[in-house]
């Protein structure tokens, strides 16, 4: 019984690490630009397709690691293009509904475009570690899953260092806290917007490669990461990176344990139940702050 | 002012045309047949396989000059595998596009709803792939199905369980839909009969991707057999994740998951998985099936004609034969549909899946699936082999080995 519990916690932590990458991107973009980007999961899908093609040309783990970097670059670039062409012009209007509708439109557009270009057939990327598994005491998992977990943690750590130690990171945090004050301090907030969007989407791109390698690559694969990222972001507090990290792991573990001990078919409903409970007690989410800026 | 007068004029003209044409019977210059299926969404590629088979049948009929000198036209309605979308699609086909008959159909929950609507509208519907028994057991005389239903698909497995495997413990890990739950009822009744203990009943939602929680639970319970009714993507992901969690068991599904995409996704890890199948490539001795396979390969080089392509091909051929038998459409839709329904009930033809003859309930009982197991060749390439009943078997049942003992991983 204890071993099953440990196995489920491990499963939950691994899936939580994937949720966190996409959710951090979403929450960063929301925190800085106040954009609730419903197309976030579709940036994952683009990243997964980039990796699918790269790993087909360069099989093996080196090709796969290279595809993670390439996906971050390509999707980050796509993020820059969409930010400049689609979202930036709307930012001056300050009506949330425009931005939400445009992001939903972008999500439908990207999905349909992918279906047109690549077809609807799901494809699987080969396991770069040759499907090898590891058993630690009573629990077992694949080397790939451990690598995905470790890579997510490293990416999150690198992001934290960037946000806390670099000048641009501080500028992003300052804009997130109070964009007008940041502007008055001489921060180029347009550059901050661009960089935040690029970073947020690049994280989704990396998340997409991990999602695609663990699961499958297909045009509609972005729906689930988007949904989970929103659950995590609301749970942790909109705009809070710390909230997204903790929220993701809480959701991942709650889903696997809930699926095991309550009912498997309600696994996805568990996240929403937690949101309702958390919002009743803390309307700003676990780590969210009251709106002051 | 001028602008508003012009608008009024246009409006009056539109109204006039609408009133004049309302209720008028037009003889269409094409023979319109409605086809339902989840052409977008997570099952789009399965529906695409069905569509490929149908397009082959369509090409064949139109190459011969169509029917009654008119081209046959397929009007597709996308159900997205959602009952509400399916109802909207069938309503459009039946009432706006005025199709003579509705074919296609995938996803039981959708087809239960769409066939009910067709019955109400007295428009014949011939379901191609959905297998829930409910579709044809409601006493509806306008509803037909060219595919075996779930009891027929599962019957062979039931016999195999009683005669060969004789499991002591079983578990269910099913798609949370009519397709999954109907199948569970049938297998659970058989398990009771043979004295197998049910250790767990787990469900997952269509489109789900992470199954590690359920697989960990199954691994902990360790049943002799896990019944897993799932579509291609979910079934492939379950196999992959079972491997990641070092879990090996006898997986048994309905068989619809064994598509080209499934084998491309799973590779050798699908070894030992079982199901029932009507795969046409397994029945090449039959000249009609072989002709279909060859025609399919000619039209789609490099593709593997699977069960859905073959079911799509047969489904449209049954419909075309009925339209032909009912005679040149008079233009009175209700009468034409009634005639087609009458001819459909008397269908008796040999197609790629076997003999098609409907029972009084509209269900085909003459197409019989075999029990298949995924086995590997010397190059670790997976393919299904008929293992039961013994008289049709091309190979023997192989007991699943733990991952550490498998040659191909």
């Amino acid at each position: 019984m204890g071993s099953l519990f440990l196995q489920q916690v491990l499963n939950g932590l691994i899936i939580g690490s994937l949720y966190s990458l996409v959710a951090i991107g979403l929450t960063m973009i929301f925190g800085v630009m106040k954009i609730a980007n419903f197309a976030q999961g579709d940036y994952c899908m683009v990243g997964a397709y980039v990796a699918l093609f790269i790993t087909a040309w360069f099989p093996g783990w080196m090709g796969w690691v290279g595809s993670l970097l390439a996906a971050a670059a390509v999707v980050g670039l796509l993020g820059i293009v969409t930010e400049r062409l689609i979202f930036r012009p709307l930012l001056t209007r300050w009506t949330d509904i425009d931005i939400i509708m445009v992001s939903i439109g972008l999500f439908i557009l990207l999905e349909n475009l992918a279906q047109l270009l690549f077809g609807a057939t799901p494809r699987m990327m080969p396991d770069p570690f040759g499907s090898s598994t590891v058993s630690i005491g009573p629990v077992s998992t694949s080397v790939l899953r451990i690598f995905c977990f470790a890579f997510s943690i490293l990416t999150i750590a690198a992001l934290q260092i960037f946000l806390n130690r670099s000048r641009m990171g501080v500028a992003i945090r300052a804009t997130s806290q109070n964009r007008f004050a940041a502007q008055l301090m001489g921060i180029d907030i347009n550059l901050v917007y661009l960089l935040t969007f690029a970073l947020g989407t690049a994280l989704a791109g990396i998340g997409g490669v991990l999602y695609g390698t663990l699961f499958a690559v297909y045009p509609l694969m972005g729906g689930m990461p988007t949904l989970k990222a929103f659950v995590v972001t609301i749970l942790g507090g909109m705009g809070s990176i710390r909230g997204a990290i903790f929220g993701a792991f809480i959701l991942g573990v709650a889903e696997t344990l809930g699926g095991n001990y309550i009912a498997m078919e309600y696994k996805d409903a568990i996240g929403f139940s937690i949101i309702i409970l958390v919002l009743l007690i803390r309307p700003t989410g676990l780590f969210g702050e009251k709106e002051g800026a | 002012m001028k602008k508003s007068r012009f608008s009024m004029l246009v409006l009056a003209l539109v109204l006039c045309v609408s009133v004049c044409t309302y209720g008028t019977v037009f003889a269409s210059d094409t023979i319109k047949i409605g086809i339902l299926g989840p052409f977008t969404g997570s099952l789009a590629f399965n529906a695409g396989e069905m569509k490929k088979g149908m397009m082959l049948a369509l090409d064949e009929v139109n190459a011969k000059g169509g029917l009654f000198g008119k081209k046959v036209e397929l009007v597709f309605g996308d159900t997205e595998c959602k009952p509400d979308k399916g109802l909207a699609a069938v309503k459009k086909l039946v009432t706006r596009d005025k199709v003579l008959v509705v074919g296609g159909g995938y996803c039981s929950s959708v087809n239960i709803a769409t066939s009910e609507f067709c019955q109400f509208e007295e428009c014949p519907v011939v379901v191609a792939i959905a297998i829930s028994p409910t579709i044809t057991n409601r006493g509806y005389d306008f509803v037909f199905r060219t595919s075996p239903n779930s009891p027929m698909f599962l019957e062979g497995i039931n016999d195999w369980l009683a005669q060969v495997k004789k499991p002591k413990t079983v578990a269910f890990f099913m798609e949370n839909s009519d397709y999954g739950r109907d199948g569970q009822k049938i297998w659970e009744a058989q398990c009771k009969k043979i004295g197998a203990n049910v250790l767990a009943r787990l469900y997952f939602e269509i489109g789900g991707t992470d199954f590690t929680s359920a697989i960990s639970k199954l691994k902990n319970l360790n049943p002799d057999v896990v019944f897993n009714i799932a579509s291609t993507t979910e079934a492939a992901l379950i196999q992959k994740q079972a491997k990641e969690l070092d879990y090996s068991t006898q997986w048994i599904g309905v068989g619809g998951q064994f598509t080209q995409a499934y084998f491309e996704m799973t590779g050798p890890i699908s070894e030992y998985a079982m199901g029932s199948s009507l795969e046409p490539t397994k029945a090449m001795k039959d000249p009609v099936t072989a002709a279909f396979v060859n025609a399919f390969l000619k039209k789609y080089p490099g593709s593997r004609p699977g069960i859905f392509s073959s079911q799509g091909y047969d489904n449209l051929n049954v419909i075309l034969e009925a339209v032909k038998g009912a005679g040149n459409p008079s233009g009175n839709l209700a009468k034409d549909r009634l005639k087609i329904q009458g001819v459909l009930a008397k269908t008796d033809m040999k197609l790629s899946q076997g003999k098609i003859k409907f029972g009084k309930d509209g269900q085909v009982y003459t197409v019989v699936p075999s029990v298949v197991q995924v086995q590997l060749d010397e190059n670790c390439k997976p393919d299904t082999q008929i293992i039961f009943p013994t008289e049709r078997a091309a190979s023997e049942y192989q007991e699943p080995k733990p991952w550490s003992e498998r040659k191909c991983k």
Side-chain angles (χ1 to χ4, degrees), chain A residues 95-166:
Chain A
T95 53
D96 293 346
I97 195 76
D98 290 7
I99 292 175
I100 289 173
M101 289 317 290
V102 162
S103 75
I104 291 174
L106 183 65
F107 133 71
I108 295 169
L109 179 81
L110 287 174
E111 279 189 354
N112 283 295
L113 211 61
Q115 195 149 331
L116 196 73
L117 291 174
F118 312 120
T121 310
R123 288 180 238 185
M124 274 186 191
M125 271 189 259
D127 185 333
F129 302 99
S131 305
S132 40
T133 54
V134 278
S135 293
I136 314 152
V139 298
S140 53
T141 192
S142 63
V143 175
L144 173 67
R145 280 181 180 257
I146 291 183
F147 192 90
C148 286
F149 179 74
F151 193 83
S152 303
I153 301 292
L154 278 177
T155 311
I156 294 167
L159 182 77
Q160 286 289 11
I161 292 169
F162 168 76
L163 290 176
N164 291 322
R165 302 280 167 84
S166 72

Side-chain angles (χ1 to χ4, degrees), chain B residues 162-401:
Chain B
Q163 292 171 33
V164 183
K165 185 73 179 174
K166 298 170 188 159
K168 298 271 177 297
T169 52
V170 301
F172 291 94
F173 184 34
M174 309 300 234
E175 181 182 295
N176 192 14
S177 65
D178 288 317
Y179 174 50
R181 289 186 183 258
D182 280 350
Q184 184 192 336
K185 268 186 222 156
I186 293 159
W187 274 331
E188 196 154 348
Q190 177 69 359
C191 290
K192 208 174 164 187
K193 220 189 274 175
I194 60 171
N197 191 15
V198 179
L199 300 183
R201 295 171 187 86
L202 311 177
Y203 304 94
F204 61 88
E205 296 304 323
I206 298 172
T209 49
D210 182 42
F211 305 103
T212 49
S213 176
I215 296 168
S216 301
K217 192 168 182 168
L218 291 169
K219 187 181 173 186
N220 194 256
L221 294 167
N222 198 23
D224 296 336
V225 159
V226 177
F227 295 105
N228 176 225
I229 292 191
S231 295
T232 299
T233 313
E234 288 89 343
L237 286 172
I238 288 166
Q239 294 292 315
K240 191 183 175 207
Q241 289 167 27
K243 159 94 182 65
E244 286 173 358
L245 294 171
D246 194 23
Y247 177 51
S248 175
T249 189
Q250 180 57 67
W251 296 98
I252 300 179
V254 172
Q257 74 273 33
F258 296 141
T259 58
Q260 186 176 1
Y262 173 85
F263 290 118
E264 277 169 11
M265 282 195 281
T266 57
I269 60 172
S270 58
E271 189 180 11
Y272 307 120
M274 283 178 59
S276 291
S277 184
L278 283 165
E279 193 153 332
T281 49
K282 302 287 157 208
M284 290 297 277
K285 278 182 199 162
D286 186 304
V288 183
T289 311
F292 159 74
V293 170
N294 293 331
F296 189 92
L297 292 173
K298 199 174 162 197
K299 184 167 165 69
Y300 308 105
S303 287
R304 168 198 165 110
I307 174 171
F308 298 139
S309 318
S310 156
Q311 285 184 314
Y313 178 81
D314 286 8
N315 182 262
L316 187 59
N317 268 311
V318 165
I319 291 171
L320 293 170
E321 193 63 19
V323 174
K324 198 171 149 191
N328 198 353
S330 63
N332 184 322
L333 206 55
K335 273 189 186 168
D336 291 336
R337 285 173 175 171
L338 190 67
K339 265 196 212 166
I340 293 171
Q341 181 257 351
V343 181
L344 271 171
K346 290 179 201 140
T347 301
D348 188 352
M349 56 196 300
K350 176 86 178 54
L351 288 164
S352 71
Q353 298 271 299
K355 188 177 158 76
I356 307 262
K357 195 171 178 180
F358 297 115
K360 280 191 178 146
D361 53 358
Q363 171 62 47
V364 72
Y365 288 104
T366 43
V367 175
V368 186
S370 308
V371 178
V372 294
Q373 184 178 37
V374 178
Q375 298 183 351
L376 307 181
D377 65 11
E378 59 279 11
N379 300 318
C380 296
K381 200 170 169 254
D383 203 356
T384 50
Q385 300 295 340
I386 296 178
I387 56 158
F388 193 84
T390 14
E391 63 273 16
R392 263 185 273 162
S395 182
E396 275 188 17
Y397 169 64
Q398 296 174 355
E399 193 76 41
K401 287 182 186 165

Side-chain angles (χ1 to χ4, degrees), chain A residues 13-29 40-41 43-44 64 68 72 147-159 199-211 225 228-229 232-233 241 244-249:
Chain A
L13 289 174
I14 291 169
I15 196 75
S17 70
L18 259 65
Y19 292 165
S20 69
L21 281 182
V22 190
I24 290 171
L26 183 78
T27 211
M28 269 178 72
I29 293 169
Q40 188 73 359
Y43 291 106
C44 286
W64 186 70
L68 280 163
F147 192 90
C148 286
F149 179 74
F151 193 83
S152 303
I153 301 292
L154 278 177
T155 311
I156 294 167
L159 182 77
L199 262 177
T201 49
L203 282 173
I206 294 173
V209 180
L210 303 183
Y211 259 96
K228 299 294 180 190
V232 164
T233 310
I241 293 175
I245 298 168
F246 281 94
F249 286 110

